[in-house]
Amino acid sequence: MQRPYDVVLIGNYFFDQILTGLPRFPVLGQETWATNLTTTGGAMYTTAAALHRLTVKVAWPGFFGSDSYSQFVYNLARQEGLDMRLAQVLDHPYQKVTISLPFAGERAFVTYEDDDPDDMVDYWLDVLDRIMFRHLHIGGFMEQQPLMALFEKAHARGATISMDSQDGAHLGNPKLCRDTLTHVDVFMPNFREAQIIAEADTVEETLYILGELVDVVVIKDSSKGSLSYDKDTILRVPSINAGPVVDTTGAGDCFNAGFLLGYVVEKVSLEQCLRYGNICGGLSVTGIGGATTAPTRLEFDDWLSRF
C-alpha cells in the first residue's frame, strides 16, 4: 500500500519575477534600473519545493493553465522532483504573476491573476476523499464557504490543519478572520497580518488574542525570528545568521515548510518547530526567490546540529 502523504497543500502557483539590486525604490515618472532579474516559481510552489527537499511526502493539487507562466512553473516543479500527479493542467490560460521588488530588507509586490476555475474547490475536496494524508496546509484565506468545506473534509479524515494568512482583502474583516481560525490547528501569519487580524497593538497582545482561538499560533517576525504562544508562555526563537539578506520573497513560505517538518512528521516540541522554520526561512533569504536556497535535508541537518 502506498504510504500516506504527510502534507496536502491547498494553494496555487505564482510565476515570480524578482528585480534585485535596486539603487533606490522606484519613483513615479523616473526610470529605476535593477542589476538582476530572476524568474522562478512562487506561492505554493515555494512551500512544496521546500518540503520536498526536506524529504517530506507532499501532495500538491495545484492548477496550471496553457499559458507560458503556468508551464514554466509546472516544468520547474517537475525538475525539482515534485509529485505532480494530482496537478490539473487546464486547456486555457491561467495566469498568476507577481513582480517582486526587494529593497532595504523588505519588498513590494505587483500582482496579476486570472479568475480561478469554477470547479477548483470541488476538485480539492475530491482529492482529499481519494488520498491518505496526515495534514492539510492552506496557503491563505479564501471565501468562507470553500474554507469551511475544506476544514470539514480534513477533520473527517482525521487530519490536522494549518493555515497561513497572506496579504489580501480578507484583512479588511478581522472579525471574520478570527471566526475562521477557530477551525484551524495551527495559524502561521507574519507579524503585520497577525496584528491586523487580532486588532492588537503589541506582539504579546496579538499572541494572547489569537491563542484563544487556535491551538498553535506562530508569528513570523522577519529578522527577529519567530514566536509562539503555548500554555500562557510566549516562546521566542531568534533567526539564524546564514549570511547577507539578498531577497526575502517567499521566506515565510519556506518557514512554513520547516515548521511543518517538525509539527507533522517529526512531532518535536513547539520550540523546536520554530527553530526548524527559522532555519528554512533564514536560508531562503540568502538567494533570490523563495525556494532557490531552501535547504536539502542534509543542509538542514547540518544547521540543526549547530543549535
Side-chain angles (χ1 to χ4, degrees), residues 139-155:
F141 286 90
M142 60 182 76
E143 291 183 7
Q144 195 75 352
Q145 186 174 348
L147 269 179
M148 291 301 121
L150 290 166
F151 294 158
E152 183 179 352
K153 184 70 69 175
H155 284 144

Side-chain angles (χ1 to χ4, degrees), residues 52-67:
H52 177 71
R53 291 185 192 179
L54 295 171
T55 68
V56 177
K57 188 169 175 56
V58 182
W60 181 28
F63 279 66
F64 300 84
S66 60
D67 56 280

Side-chain angles (χ1 to χ4, degrees), residues 254-298:
C254 270
F255 174 97
N256 294 347
F259 185 93
L260 292 175
L261 168 67
Y263 182 81
V264 177
V265 180
E266 299 191 354
K267 301 187 183 303
V268 296
S269 69
L270 183 54
E271 182 176 4
Q272 191 76 327
C273 288
L274 296 177
R275 187 167 290 113
Y276 281 21
N278 287 353
I279 291 172
C280 293
L283 289 171
S284 169
V285 303
T286 62
I288 302 174
T292 305
T293 49
T296 64
R297 184 66 209 225
L298 286 176

Side-chain angles (χ1 to χ4, degrees), residues 186-208:
V186 183
F187 183 46
M188 300 190 285
N190 64 34
F191 178 49
R192 171 182 168 272
E193 296 157 352
Q195 194 173 27
I196 292 172
I197 292 169
E199 297 184 282
D201 295 324
T202 67
V203 67
E204 291 81 7
E205 186 183 3
T206 299
L207 280 168
Y208 291 141

Side-chain angles (χ1 to χ4, degrees), residues 36 43 52 84 98 112 131 145 164 203 224 243 253 262-263 268 270 300:
N36 189 68
H52 177 71
M84 300 300 288
T98 290
Y112 171 83
I131 65 173
Q145 186 174 348
D164 203 332
V203 67
K224 297 177 184 177
D253 297 315
Y263 182 81
V268 296
L270 183 54
F300 173 85

Side-chain angles (χ1 to χ4, degrees), residues 95-162:
Q95 303 168 109
K96 301 177 81 69
V97 180
T98 290
I99 308 299
S100 176
L101 304 173
F103 183 76
E106 252 301 345
R107 71 270 194 236
F109 301 112
V110 180
T111 295
Y112 171 83
E113 59 179 335
D114 288 329
D115 291 338
D116 293 332
D118 292 337
D119 63 348
M120 174 179 283
V121 177
D122 289 337
Y123 178 71
W124 286 338
L125 292 171
D126 178 63
V127 166
L128 297 184
D129 262 334
R130 290 191 284 112
I131 65 173
M132 297 174 62
F133 64 101
R134 302 178 185 179
H135 183 86
L136 177 69
H137 176 70
I138 299 175
F141 286 90
M142 60 182 76
E143 291 183 7
Q144 195 75 352
Q145 186 174 348
L147 269 179
M148 291 301 121
L150 290 166
F151 294 158
E152 183 179 352
K153 184 70 69 175
H155 284 144
R157 298 299 309 275
T160 49
I161 302 171
S162 62

